[in-house]
């Protein structure tokens, strides 16, 4: 393990949902659904697509789709430009969907936090489980068209 690797922190949240990968994939990639559980956005599931996530807290995240493997993997940059280095975040969020006997195991990893970004790292550790709770609520609703 190199020194540089030791200096990068990640947040990992894993949860099993009683829904097929296709239903989770839809919630992870449809802008109107992403808005319900994560943030307002102009997302498209296309590698190279640049988009923003706009938080209720007034912040804007600059993102770019890095990988799309339908119903399996979605990865995008999650960058927040800030004058204070402790909040100037350049990270990557990766969702991995694995079918299980009862539904789908969803793993989210946000990597790229520097050691001086303890508050941003702590915010992500607290925030992602809440996002997953909201995602679960979206998934529990009956489908409303396509």
């Amino acid at each position: 393990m190199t020194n540089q690797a030791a200096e990068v922190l990640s947040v990992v949240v894993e949860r099993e949902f009683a829904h097929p990968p296709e239903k989770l994939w839809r919630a992870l990639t449809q802008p109107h659904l992403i808005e319900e559980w994560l943030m307002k956005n102009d997302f498209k599931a296309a590698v190279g697509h640049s988009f923003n996530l706009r938080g209720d807290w007034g912040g804007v995240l600059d993102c770019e789709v890095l990988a799309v493997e339908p119903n399996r993997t979605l990865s995008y940059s999650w960058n927040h430009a800030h004058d204070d280095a402790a909040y100037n975040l350049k990270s990557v969020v990766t969702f991995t969907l694995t079918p299980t006997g009862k539904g789908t195991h969803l793993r989210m990893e946000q990597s790229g936090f520097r050691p001086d970004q303890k508050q941003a790292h702590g915010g992500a550790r607290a925030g992602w489980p809440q996002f997953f709770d909201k995602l679960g609520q979206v998934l529990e609703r009956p489908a409303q068209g396509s």
Side-chain angles (χ1 to χ4, degrees):
M1 184 182 219
T2 66
N3 240 3
Q4 187 177 10
E7 292 178 10
V8 178
L9 305 173
S10 293
V11 171
V12 175
V13 177
E14 298 183 72
R15 194 170 295 175
E16 186 159 335
F17 292 95
H19 301 282
E22 296 79 13
K23 187 164 185 174
L24 263 83
W25 184 257
R26 189 170 180 275
L28 293 175
T29 59
Q30 296 294 313
H32 67 286
L33 296 175
I34 296 168
E35 182 174 345
E36 289 186 46
W37 69 269
L38 187 60
M39 291 180 227
K40 293 178 182 152
N41 65 91
D42 55 342
F43 179 84
K44 286 183 191 150
V47 173
H49 175 68
S50 294
F51 66 100
N52 295 120
L53 291 170
R54 295 173 297 284
D56 291 339
W57 42 275
V60 176
L61 300 167
D62 297 311
C63 307
E64 181 182 334
V65 178
L66 303 173
V68 176
E69 192 177 343
N71 304 317
R72 300 175 75 94
T73 306
L74 175 64
S75 182
Y76 45 82
S77 61
W78 175 288
N79 300 330
H80 183 242
H82 199 283
D83 292 338
D84 183 339
Y87 296 99
N88 189 31
L89 181 62
K90 291 190 183 304
S91 67
V92 174
V93 171
T94 302
F95 296 97
T96 305
L97 294 78
T98 306
T100 67
K102 297 179 180 180
T104 305
H105 178 86
L106 179 62
R107 180 183 194 274
M108 183 289 312
E109 179 174 3
Q110 183 176 5
S111 60
F113 297 95
R114 297 185 319 267
D116 66 333
Q117 295 179 313
K118 286 182 177 31
Q119 218 163 351
H121 183 251
R125 280 197 347 250
W128 279 109
Q130 293 175 10
F131 289 142
F132 270 39
D133 289 346
K134 288 181 184 175
L135 174 60
Q137 293 168 11
V138 169
L139 292 168
E140 289 303 317
R141 285 200 328 255
Q144 304 287 322
S146 58

